[in-house]
Amino acid sequence: AWTEYDNRSGLGEDSTVPEEIKKWNWGAAFLGIFWGPYFGVWRAFLMMIPLVNIVYFFILGFEGSELAWRKNKWKSVDEFKKTMRRWNIAAIVVFVFSILLQIASL
């Protein structure tokens, strides 16, 4: 079955990134080593290198949505936003859970 895609997405550097998705991406920032391979953003593995991970936290946070839009075909901006919202929620849950674990271990 043929699926229609937003033809601005998935074209690498030739993609046109809608302004409405250029937002901070918690999923990319906090879950970069999972988020990156899922969306084909392989440089997210740089999060595994000490000190570089601090820089890449911010790079992926600021540019993650744009990178995922450029690397993948999306049906619509709404589909993209729903997907990133799930990743953002997951990242916040993991972050809060890790804080609670740290507090519990004191």
Side-chain angles (χ1 to χ4, degrees):
W2 175 254
T3 304
E4 287 291 321
Y5 290 100
D6 186 316
N7 57 13
R8 299 174 293 175
S9 68
L11 303 173
E13 290 302 314
D14 293 332
S15 300
T16 302
V17 181
E19 286 300 315
E20 63 197 287
I21 67 168
K22 292 182 180 179
K23 296 179 180 175
W24 178 265
N25 190 318
W26 289 108
F30 274 116
L31 301 174
I33 60 169
F34 304 106
W35 180 94
Y38 188 84
F39 292 106
V41 180
W42 303 109
R43 65 182 176 165
F45 280 126
L46 293 171
M47 293 288 284
M48 298 173 74
I49 302 171
L51 300 180
V52 173
N53 60 358
I54 296 168
V55 173
Y56 258 82
F57 174 87
F58 291 101
I59 290 173
L60 291 175
F62 283 117
E63 297 179 4
S65 292
E66 188 171 336
L67 293 168
W69 180 265
R70 291 180 184 279
K71 287 292 243 175
N72 301 275
K73 284 280 190 194
W74 296 92
K75 291 178 187 169
S76 66
V77 170
D78 283 341
E79 178 208 22
F80 179 86
K81 288 166 74 174
K82 282 181 192 171
T83 302
M84 291 306 144
R85 186 173 193 282
R86 286 186 203 112
W87 278 90
N88 288 337
I89 290 168
I92 292 165
V93 167
V94 167
F95 176 72
V96 169
F97 186 70
S98 66
I99 296 295
L100 293 174
L101 280 177
Q102 289 296 314
I103 292 169
S105 69
L106 293 178

PDB file of all heavy atoms in Angstrom, residues 71-82:
ATOM      1  N   LYS A  71      16.355  12.934   8.724  1.00  0.00           N
ATOM      2  CA  LYS A  71      16.790  11.550   8.509  1.00  0.00           C
ATOM      3  C   LYS A  71      15.664  10.593   8.145  1.00  0.00           C
ATOM      4  O   LYS A  71      15.918   9.503   7.659  1.00  0.00           O
ATOM      5  CB  LYS A  71      17.479  11.011   9.774  1.00  0.00           C
ATOM      6  CG  LYS A  71      18.835  11.582  10.023  1.00  0.00           C
ATOM      7  CD  LYS A  71      19.802  11.119   8.983  1.00  0.00           C
ATOM      8  CE  LYS A  71      20.889  10.292   9.590  1.00  0.00           C
ATOM      9  NZ  LYS A  71      21.773   9.746   8.576  1.00  0.00           N
ATOM     10  N   ASN A  72      14.407  10.956   8.425  1.00  0.00           N
ATOM     11  CA  ASN A  72      13.290  10.032   8.280  1.00  0.00           C
ATOM     12  C   ASN A  72      12.145  10.653   7.495  1.00  0.00           C
ATOM     13  O   ASN A  72      11.934  11.856   7.541  1.00  0.00           O
ATOM     14  CB  ASN A  72      12.758   9.635   9.666  1.00  0.00           C
ATOM     15  CG  ASN A  72      13.825   8.976  10.496  1.00  0.00           C
ATOM     16  OD1 ASN A  72      14.045   7.792  10.394  1.00  0.00           O
ATOM     17  ND2 ASN A  72      14.521   9.757  11.324  1.00  0.00           N
ATOM     18  N   LYS A  73      11.406   9.800   6.799  1.00  0.00           N
ATOM     19  CA  LYS A  73      10.176  10.228   6.123  1.00  0.00           C
ATOM     20  C   LYS A  73       9.053  10.241   7.155  1.00  0.00           C
ATOM     21  O   LYS A  73       8.862   9.265   7.878  1.00  0.00           O
ATOM     22  CB  LYS A  73       9.816   9.244   5.003  1.00  0.00           C
ATOM     23  CG  LYS A  73      10.674   9.388   3.782  1.00  0.00           C
ATOM     24  CD  LYS A  73      10.162  10.546   2.996  1.00  0.00           C
ATOM     25  CE  LYS A  73      10.801  10.641   1.627  1.00  0.00           C
ATOM     26  NZ  LYS A  73      10.517  11.954   1.052  1.00  0.00           N
ATOM     27  N   TRP A  74       8.319  11.324   7.209  1.00  0.00           N
ATOM     28  CA  TRP A  74       7.210  11.475   8.150  1.00  0.00           C
ATOM     29  C   TRP A  74       5.926  11.709   7.377  1.00  0.00           C
ATOM     30  O   TRP A  74       5.918  12.437   6.388  1.00  0.00           O
ATOM     31  CB  TRP A  74       7.479  12.638   9.107  1.00  0.00           C
ATOM     32  CG  TRP A  74       8.661  12.382   9.971  1.00  0.00           C
ATOM     33  CD1 TRP A  74       9.961  12.737   9.709  1.00  0.00           C
ATOM     34  CD2 TRP A  74       8.681  11.662  11.194  1.00  0.00           C
ATOM     35  NE1 TRP A  74      10.772  12.290  10.719  1.00  0.00           N
ATOM     36  CE2 TRP A  74      10.019  11.627  11.646  1.00  0.00           C
ATOM     37  CE3 TRP A  74       7.698  11.052  11.965  1.00  0.00           C
ATOM     38  CZ2 TRP A  74      10.394  11.005  12.827  1.00  0.00           C
ATOM     39  CZ3 TRP A  74       8.067  10.434  13.138  1.00  0.00           C
ATOM     40  CH2 TRP A  74       9.408  10.420  13.571  1.00  0.00           C
ATOM     41  N   LYS A  75       4.831  11.123   7.851  1.00  0.00           N
ATOM     42  CA  LYS A  75       3.533  11.302   7.187  1.00  0.00           C
ATOM     43  C   LYS A  75       3.048  12.734   7.313  1.00  0.00           C
ATOM     44  O   LYS A  75       2.433  13.278   6.401  1.00  0.00           O
ATOM     45  CB  LYS A  75       2.499  10.346   7.780  1.00  0.00           C
ATOM     46  CG  LYS A  75       2.772   8.901   7.449  1.00  0.00           C
ATOM     47  CD  LYS A  75       1.751   7.991   8.105  1.00  0.00           C
ATOM     48  CE  LYS A  75       2.160   6.547   7.889  1.00  0.00           C
ATOM     49  NZ  LYS A  75       1.373   5.621   8.692  1.00  0.00           N
ATOM     50  N   SER A  76       3.339  13.342   8.465  1.00  0.00           N
ATOM     51  CA  SER A  76       2.873  14.708   8.718  1.00  0.00           C
ATOM     52  C   SER A  76       3.649  15.297   9.885  1.00  0.00           C
ATOM     53  O   SER A  76       4.310  14.581  10.644  1.00  0.00           O
ATOM     54  CB  SER A  76       1.383  14.710   9.050  1.00  0.00           C
ATOM     55  OG  SER A  76       1.166  14.048  10.286  1.00  0.00           O
ATOM     56  N   VAL A  77       3.527  16.601  10.034  1.00  0.00           N
ATOM     57  CA  VAL A  77       4.112  17.281  11.193  1.00  0.00           C
ATOM     58  C   VAL A  77       3.443  16.769  12.464  1.00  0.00           C
ATOM     59  O   VAL A  77       4.107  16.554  13.476  1.00  0.00           O
ATOM     60  CB  VAL A  77       3.974  18.814  11.051  1.00  0.00           C
ATOM     61  CG1 VAL A  77       4.357  19.519  12.344  1.00  0.00           C
ATOM     62  CG2 VAL A  77       4.828  19.317   9.896  1.00  0.00           C
ATOM     63  N   ASP A  78       2.138  16.531  12.406  1.00  0.00           N
ATOM     64  CA  ASP A  78       1.427  16.026  13.582  1.00  0.00           C
ATOM     65  C   ASP A  78       1.950  14.661  14.012  1.00  0.00           C
ATOM     66  O   ASP A  78       2.145  14.412  15.203  1.00  0.00           O
ATOM     67  CB  ASP A  78      -0.076  15.940  13.326  1.00  0.00           C
ATOM     68  CG  ASP A  78      -0.745  17.295  13.394  1.00  0.00           C
ATOM     69  OD1 ASP A  78      -0.157  18.224  13.983  1.00  0.00           O
ATOM     70  OD2 ASP A  78      -1.858  17.427  12.857  1.00  0.00           O
ATOM     71  N   GLU A  79       2.191  13.759  13.032  1.00  0.00           N
ATOM     72  CA  GLU A  79       2.747  12.441  13.364  1.00  0.00           C
ATOM     73  C   GLU A  79       4.118  12.605  14.026  1.00  0.00           C
ATOM     74  O   GLU A  79       4.419  11.965  15.025  1.00  0.00           O
ATOM     75  CB  GLU A  79       2.888  11.578  12.110  1.00  0.00           C
ATOM     76  CG  GLU A  79       3.502  10.228  12.407  1.00  0.00           C
ATOM     77  CD  GLU A  79       4.279   9.600  11.262  1.00  0.00           C
ATOM     78  OE1 GLU A  79       4.731  10.329  10.351  1.00  0.00           O
ATOM     79  OE2 GLU A  79       4.464   8.380  11.309  1.00  0.00           O
ATOM     80  N   PHE A  80       4.931  13.484  13.469  1.00  0.00           N
ATOM     81  CA  PHE A  80       6.262  13.748  14.028  1.00  0.00           C
ATOM     82  C   PHE A  80       6.142  14.252  15.468  1.00  0.00           C
ATOM     83  O   PHE A  80       6.823  13.749  16.365  1.00  0.00           O
ATOM     84  CB  PHE A  80       6.992  14.780  13.159  1.00  0.00           C
ATOM     85  CG  PHE A  80       8.353  15.120  13.675  1.00  0.00           C
ATOM     86  CD1 PHE A  80       9.444  14.349  13.334  1.00  0.00           C
ATOM     87  CD2 PHE A  80       8.548  16.194  14.534  1.00  0.00           C
ATOM     88  CE1 PHE A  80      10.713  14.650  13.828  1.00  0.00           C
ATOM     89  CE2 PHE A  80       9.797  16.505  15.029  1.00  0.00           C
ATOM     90  CZ  PHE A  80      10.881  15.727  14.671  1.00  0.00           C
ATOM     91  N   LYS A  81       5.277  15.225  15.687  1.00  0.00           N
ATOM     92  CA  LYS A  81       5.126  15.808  17.019  1.00  0.00           C
ATOM     93  C   LYS A  81       4.623  14.781  18.029  1.00  0.00           C
ATOM     94  O   LYS A  81       5.088  14.755  19.169  1.00  0.00           O
ATOM     95  CB  LYS A  81       4.207  17.027  16.956  1.00  0.00           C
ATOM     96  CG  LYS A  81       4.876  18.217  16.269  1.00  0.00           C
ATOM     97  CD  LYS A  81       3.922  19.315  15.886  1.00  0.00           C
ATOM     98  CE  LYS A  81       3.453  20.113  17.041  1.00  0.00           C
ATOM     99  NZ  LYS A  81       2.621  21.271  16.634  1.00  0.00           N
ATOM    100  N   LYS A  82       3.699  13.912  17.624  1.00  0.00           N
ATOM    101  CA  LYS A  82       3.203  12.856  18.523  1.00  0.00           C
ATOM    102  C   LYS A  82       4.334  11.908  18.906  1.00  0.00           C
ATOM    103  O   LYS A  82       4.463  11.519  20.067  1.00  0.00           O
ATOM    104  CB  LYS A  82       2.080  12.069  17.854  1.00  0.00           C
ATOM    105  CG  LYS A  82       0.751  12.757  17.863  1.00  0.00           C
ATOM    106  CD  LYS A  82      -0.293  11.869  17.201  1.00  0.00           C
ATOM    107  CE  LYS A  82      -1.563  12.646  16.932  1.00  0.00           C
ATOM    108  NZ  LYS A  82      -2.515  11.895  16.117  1.00  0.00           N
TER     109      LYS A  82
END
